[in-house]
Amino acid sequence: MEYTSKLNEYAAVPSSPEIKKIVSDAEAGAKANCNADVYKLCYSCIDLTSLNTTDNDRQIREFTEKTVAFNERFPDIPNVASICVYPNFVETVGLAAGDSGIRITSVAGGFPSSQTFLEVKMLETAMAVESGADEIDIVINVGHMLEGEYEELANEVEILRREAGEDTVFKVIIESGALQTPELIYRASVLSMLAGADFVKTSTGKIPVAATPEAAATMCTAIRDYHASTGRKVGFKAAGGVRTPEDAALYYTIVENILGSDWLTPALFRIGASSAANNIISGIAGEEIKYY
């Protein structure tokens, strides 16, 4: 596919003032969405994440077992969408999760920088799926994006999409905090979708600027335009910096306002979170809860 020519078919990129207006409207509307029902939906959309230098098999096994046991203590709250780990822990999660139905997300493709050989990215992606990952989160080559090397960027995403396989949910992180401008965030999102992304995701959480409402609004606008052009629904994932139930409600509202209620399901909306889980549970319960 000639990605650059396809990219030029899309609508004008929203300006910074337009994005600020979208976010302002969402902030006003989010107040009504700060309630237990919305928080429960947001909790069910969490990719519960452990991506630490200190991770080990024992810790990941216990983390998984606690997630599997969640509904024993909170039967009225739907469990998280998945557990997200480094690829070497996918099998550990699978063994601990058993037949619980908990999905396994693995980062891959040279996460978090995407700075390694393409062959290494391909092998890591394929091995994560072979180990049992249901979902793969990769990062675009941000350097390609900043240099305007759109064909190189999209072709690499397309190759990793094939390595993951069509039965694997494939999420592409655009690292919006490194791109900064609405134009680059919009273009990176469209290129990722054209190359086969099932979700576009804001951030790795490994650089100073992670998810922002402005980036979310820009990305959701790109998803809306792509859907209007192709008829294919692509999901949105906010990750990095989503810490409170109010944060979650704001991203929920941005998705609701731009994409509509069809997107408010774990199939099309995700939140990458670790510390946010306890805070959202607390928001639902109306008291401080420290489950994790």
Side-chain angles (χ1 to χ4, degrees):
M1 181 188 294
E2 292 290 333
Y3 286 101
T4 304
S5 61
K6 292 294 292 184
L7 183 62
N8 292 335
E9 296 175 9
Y10 280 81
V13 177
S15 66
S16 292
E18 289 171 330
I19 291 298
K20 288 180 180 178
K21 176 65 165 58
I22 292 170
V23 171
S24 177
D25 290 345
E27 288 172 342
K31 295 175 183 177
N33 284 329
C34 290
N35 60 68
D37 288 340
V38 168
Y39 295 161
K40 286 181 181 180
L41 185 281
C42 289
Y43 191 83
S44 75
C45 295
I46 288 177
D47 288 341
L48 191 63
T49 301
S50 188
L51 296 171
N52 305 305
T53 304
T54 55
D55 287 346
N56 56 66
D57 282 322
R58 177 191 56 77
Q59 179 187 0
I60 296 299
R61 182 178 64 253
E62 292 174 355
F63 178 64
T64 302
E65 290 169 348
K66 194 150 198 174
T67 305
V68 169
F70 176 81
N71 286 130
E72 294 176 11
R73 180 169 173 187
F74 302 99
D76 296 330
I77 303 175
N79 211 341
V80 295
S82 80
I83 292 173
C84 179
V85 293
Y86 280 112
N88 51 307
F89 294 116
V90 167
E91 189 172 358
T92 301
V93 175
L95 290 171
D99 60 358
S100 65
I102 293 287
R103 294 179 66 82
I104 306 170
T105 295
S106 175
V107 296
F111 179 96
S113 69
S114 193
Q115 298 290 6
T116 189
F117 301 105
L118 176 58
E119 292 82 359
V120 172
K121 298 179 187 183
M122 293 167 65
L123 181 60
E124 186 177 50
T125 300
M127 289 180 69
V129 174
E130 186 177 351
S131 296
D134 303 295
E135 309 187 2
I136 292 290
D137 288 20
I138 67 142
V139 193
I140 65 167
N141 186 312
V142 175
H144 284 330
M145 192 68 214
L146 294 175
E147 286 297 301
E149 296 168 346
Y150 300 152
E151 297 297 327
E152 291 87 345
L153 181 149
N155 281 321
E156 184 171 287
V157 172
E158 181 184 342
I159 288 167
L160 297 180
R161 159 84 270 184
R162 287 201 299 268
E163 289 295 327
E166 289 302 317
D167 293 334
T168 303
V169 174
F170 188 67
K171 310 191 201 91
V172 178
I173 305 164
I174 67 163
E175 200 67 290
S176 56
L179 301 179
Q180 298 184 342
T181 68
E183 181 177 15
L184 287 176
I185 292 169
Y186 182 95
R187 287 181 174 179
S189 300
V190 172
L191 286 166
S192 298
M193 291 184 281
L194 289 169
D198 295 314
F199 275 77
V200 285
K201 174 180 170 182
T202 57
S203 320
T204 62
K206 301 297 186 182
I207 68 170
V209 179
T212 65
E214 290 77 14
T218 305
M219 294 169 71
C220 287
T221 300
I223 292 169
R224 182 196 65 197
D225 294 347
Y226 178 82
H227 177 252
S229 176
T230 66
R232 187 168 80 92
K233 290 181 176 178
V234 173
F236 167 74
K237 179 174 174 179
V242 185
R243 294 186 175 87
T244 68
E246 292 80 11
D247 291 338
L250 176 56
Y251 287 107
Y252 171 104
T253 306
I254 290 169
V255 171
E256 181 180 43
N257 288 357
I258 298 173
L259 296 170
S261 58
D262 284 355
W263 263 261
L264 296 174
T265 162
L268 290 167
F269 176 44
R270 295 290 179 88
I271 297 169
S274 51
S275 61
N278 282 333
N279 294 333
I280 293 175
I281 296 167
S282 299
I284 296 166
E287 61 179 329
E288 185 176 10
I289 302 286
K290 292 185 177 180
Y291 182 74
Y292 289 103

